[in-house]
Amino acid sequence: MTQALVPAPARLPARTAPSGPRRVLRAVAVASCLPYLSLKLAWIAGSRVGIPEGSSLLDHRGVMVVANTVTVLMDAAVIVLALLLTQAWGRRVPAWLLVLPMWAATGLLTPIMAGYPAQLAVRALGGSVAGHDGGDGGAFLNAWVFGVVYGGFILQGISLGLLFLLYARDRWRHVWRGRVADLPAPRPGRSARACAAAAAVLALYPVTLRLLWAGGSALGLNEAQATAYTADFAVLRTLEAGYLAAAAAGGLTLAFRWGPALAVKVPLALVWVGSGAVGCWGAWQFAASFGAAADVAEQPTAAMALSYAVQMIIGALVAAVGVHVLTERAGTGGRAPGEGAA
């Protein structure tokens, strides 16, 4: 009797303690959370450390407490993930329970990891820089707070990202080996191509807006941002257009099997980082647009809110393409079509 021999997914090493590099990365991830958590807990308790007089953060005490509580829980989740990725019990966690928060963490941290160093570079080169909030309003925190907080976020992103890569290499390396040509042929009636095409079309709206804003146009901007154009604002909007382009390109490459000689991990990385940055950051900005602004001039316009909503949809569509492809590869053991028959 002839049957296909499908190799089982790689199993995690049967060890009881993480390796030295993983312990170091875990320590860095946990330690980098402490400054942010300390500041947030202090603010929840009523402290004004790092908050100057007249800051808009002092105008709505209840909203500030709720928002800080949410962000404390989000940052504490980084510690949980660092432990999960390095402990024996983490090897038994269902894939979705790990992948979903890691995708969200990637999406929220990537724009900070790219954007904050870019802002520092603009400032070092003498370019115009907005208030310490990154160009979205007046300064409302002391300058040192941003260095401490964003520096911690960058360390979190690097350490947590490396830990996840090591974990995923042990557990799922079979699904990203090979090249795009090795992917199973798209099956009739599948929705991956529709999702990728829809995401690419939808991306035209937010990409166009971001490029216009980067070029100095005030189309669709609120009054505060329209009258406070700076070099770092242009850089951040250009980066946002880049995340959208990465998400669309990765989705189209996987769904339509473009670039057959390309390593599968390249479009998968574009899908992972691009969809996360677009979808999760879009969701964060969309939710924030419903908050009470200190000044009506700072309230997001309908065009801005719509772009955030569209980003959420794009992120979900591109992520769905990635899930579809990974599911297909897992079902074939990561083999090329026809490989492994006995």
Side-chain angles (χ1 to χ4, degrees):
M1 180 179 293
T2 301
Q3 61 180 2
L5 299 179
V6 179
R11 294 185 179 275
L12 287 168
R15 59 174 180 267
T16 58
S19 63
R22 297 187 199 218
R23 289 198 299 270
V24 171
L25 290 171
R26 180 179 63 193
V28 171
V30 173
S32 61
C33 294
L34 299 182
Y36 183 79
L37 291 175
S38 299
L39 277 173
K40 291 288 185 173
L41 291 173
W43 293 341
I44 292 173
S47 172
R48 294 189 177 185
V49 59
I51 305 177
E53 289 296 332
S55 171
S56 59
L57 292 176
L58 303 175
D59 295 339
H60 305 280
R61 169 66 181 164
V63 173
M64 180 181 177
V65 169
V66 172
N68 285 332
T69 301
V70 171
T71 51
V72 162
L73 295 175
M74 292 172 63
D75 208 46
V78 171
I79 298 176
V80 176
L81 286 172
L83 294 174
L84 185 154
L85 293 169
T86 54
Q87 296 295 326
W89 54 266
R91 304 168 202 166
R92 299 186 295 273
V93 170
W96 69 268
L97 193 57
L98 168 63
V99 170
L100 187 58
M102 273 302 310
W103 176 77
T106 301
L108 293 173
L109 290 173
T110 295
I112 296 173
M113 295 173 67
Y116 187 59
Q119 286 182 293
L120 294 179
V122 168
R123 181 173 302 174
L125 294 173
S128 55
V129 181
H132 295 303
D133 61 346
D136 294 329
F140 57 90
L141 287 171
N142 292 331
W144 64 266
V145 174
F146 290 92
V148 170
V149 170
Y150 288 166
F153 284 158
I154 291 172
L155 288 176
Q156 288 175 35
I158 294 172
S159 56
L160 200 63
L162 290 174
L163 282 174
F164 181 67
L165 285 175
L166 291 172
Y167 180 101
R169 183 193 63 184
D170 292 339
R171 185 171 178 178
W172 300 305
R173 75 176 74 189
H174 62 291
V175 299
W176 68 53
R177 67 183 182 183
R179 302 188 178 278
V180 172
D182 298 331
L183 293 173
R187 299 178 184 176
R190 294 287 182 168
S191 59
R193 288 188 169 187
C195 288
V201 172
L202 288 174
L204 294 175
Y205 172 65
V207 164
T208 301
L209 276 184
R210 295 313 190 284
L211 293 179
L212 286 173
W213 295 344
S217 172
L219 180 66
L221 284 174
N222 58 29
E223 183 181 345
Q225 295 189 20
T227 57
Y229 178 84
T230 56
D232 69 333
F233 175 87
V235 169
L236 293 178
R237 302 297 81 81
T238 302
L239 287 174
E240 289 171 359
Y243 308 142
L244 286 156
L252 290 171
T253 299
L254 288 179
F256 290 90
R257 309 304 194 249
W258 290 351
L262 195 64
V264 171
K265 58 188 175 184
V266 174
L268 282 176
L270 291 176
V271 165
W272 176 269
V273 177
S275 68
V278 170
C280 297
W281 200 251
W284 180 262
Q285 292 175 305
F286 185 72
S289 68
F290 290 98
D295 187 338
V296 67
E298 298 177 0
Q299 188 68 34
T301 64
M304 294 169 68
L306 178 59
S307 72
Y308 303 150
V310 171
Q311 285 178 224
M312 294 166 56
I313 297 172
I314 293 169
L317 290 173
V318 174
V321 174
V323 170
H324 174 84
V325 171
L326 290 175
T327 301
E328 278 192 333
R329 294 220 87 195
T332 61
R335 294 174 294 110
E339 179 186 356

